[in-house]
Every structure is written in structure tokens, then in C-alpha cells.
Amino acid sequence: MAIITLTTDLGSKDFYQSALKGSLLSLMPNVNLVDITHEVPSFNISYAAFVLKNAYPYFPKNTVHLIGIDSVYSENTKYIAVKHRDHFFVGADNGIFSLLFDDIPEDVVELNIMQDLKYLHFPLVDIFVKAATHLAKGGRLKDIGLPVAEIEQKMLLHPVIERDIIRGSVVYIDTFCNVITNITKDLFTKIQKNREFTLYFRKSETITQLSWHYNEVQEGEKLCLFGISNHLEIAINKGKASGLLGLHLGDIVRVEFHS
């Protein structure tokens, strides 16, 4: 059964999410719709890219990922479909694809599907739905758009690296209030070189060892580990790290390595 995933900032309060799903089912009644999330903060493409980047590799090949972030009509924004690593993606060319992929996507087309003026303000339920269902049915990219050589580029805030220090920042806080930074496991290991370390955050909080899992410390105690995203994560066993430790998106963390 064909799969279309949904990543949007539509939330669950209004009818917009239902309208999107109804439009998809009208064109493809047997499609398997999977919600990745509809709780992306409004227009926050970096947040959406982080979530989808960590979710899509677990789906089967040829899954179609529909991205509804900052997708309202604009004459200056292209709508594109992308094939990358045997997955398809449909969304606005607003920079999210440059954050989603670590390398250049294989095939990109600018959608030339005729816009229904009835849905001019809401292309997500029109152009995006038509493109996603076309691809989910096995259709070709070239039948719904023209090739483009470049996509809109956005830059993430990268960690600052010194000889014995990594300065990173909080990029995501999950439902459990675990705090995820932009420091990857590969970067940490490269700079660490088997040395001991101290992780500093807020004014006086520190952690000096990595854990393998959340239950490695006593309930209520803080820890750090590399979670499923392979990014350095600050957590509290059975607790809400973000609130209890006062950590928010954009806050700075620092790792110092000791000889």
C-alpha cells in the first residue's frame, strides 16, 4: 500500500488538517496516511526539517513525504517535488530542503500543476495533494514539473569548535522535554579523542559523563546522551529537563574536554 507522510504546522485545533487528509483520500482512497507531526511551530522550517530528517529514513522506499510548512501562496516561492535516496518529497522551496538533506538531492522539479483558483490561498490541499498522490501511484517526476538545478538555501546555526571546546545550542525540545542540541555524535567523538569532558549549561549546571540510556541515573537526576537523532541530548530521568533546568530553544551549551 502506498504511503504518504504528513509534516505540517496546521495543528489539531482547526479543520485544516482534516481538509488536507480529505483531499488526499478523495484522490487516492486506499493511500496509507501517516502523521509525522502537525505541531511544528508556525512557519518554523528548521524545526520541521529536524523532525522529518530523523523520521523519514525509517519509512519504506518510495514513501512520499508531504511538507506543509510556510506553504501559503506567494508569487516568489516555487513548489517543488524531490527524489532523494528512494524517497519522494513535496513542499515549498523555502529553504527546508537544504536543511533536510546533507547532500544534493538526486532529482528536483518545479511543479507545473495547474492551480485551482478556488484554493489559491491554500495550495497544500490542491497542488501539493495532486503531486503527492501522483507520486504515490508510481507517477514520474517529469510528468508534474520541470527540472531545476538549484533549491533555496538556508543555513543552520552550527557549533563553534575550538581546540578543546565545542559551543553548541539547543535546536529541539521533544514531548518529554528532553533538550536536543546541534552537537552531533560524530563531531563530539572527533573533538573528544577519548578525553574526559564537562558539559556546561545555564550558569552553574554541569554533566561530566555520557549515559547509554535514560535509566542509567536515579530518577530525577540529570544526564546527557546521544539519542536516536545522534545529537547530544540533555535529559532528566522521569523528569522534564527543559522546564526543570530552564533550557529553551537557542540556549547555548558548552563542552570542554580535559587532557
Side-chain angles (χ1 to χ4, degrees), residues 167-170 173 179 181 198-207 222 234 236 241-255:
R167 301 181 192 275
S169 61
V170 177
I173 297 172
V179 178
T181 76
T198 303
L199 169 62
Y200 295 92
F201 53 96
R202 302 299 293 169
K203 289 186 178 180
S204 58
E205 297 284 354
T206 61
I207 300 174
K222 62 182 182 289
I234 299 169
I236 291 178
S242 174
L244 292 173
L245 298 174
L247 285 166
H248 307 92
L249 290 174
D251 283 357
I252 302 300
V253 301
R254 184 176 83 256
V255 182

Side-chain angles (χ1 to χ4, degrees), residues 1-6 28 30-35 58-66 88 132 135-137:
M1 182 181 293
I3 300 171
I4 298 178
T5 77
L6 306 174
M28 197 172 181
N30 295 323
V31 69
N32 186 5
L33 298 180
V34 179
D35 297 310
Y58 292 93
F59 285 84
K61 292 181 179 180
N62 296 316
T63 295
V64 180
H65 306 279
L66 192 156
F88 294 97
L135 295 169
K137 293 174 182 176

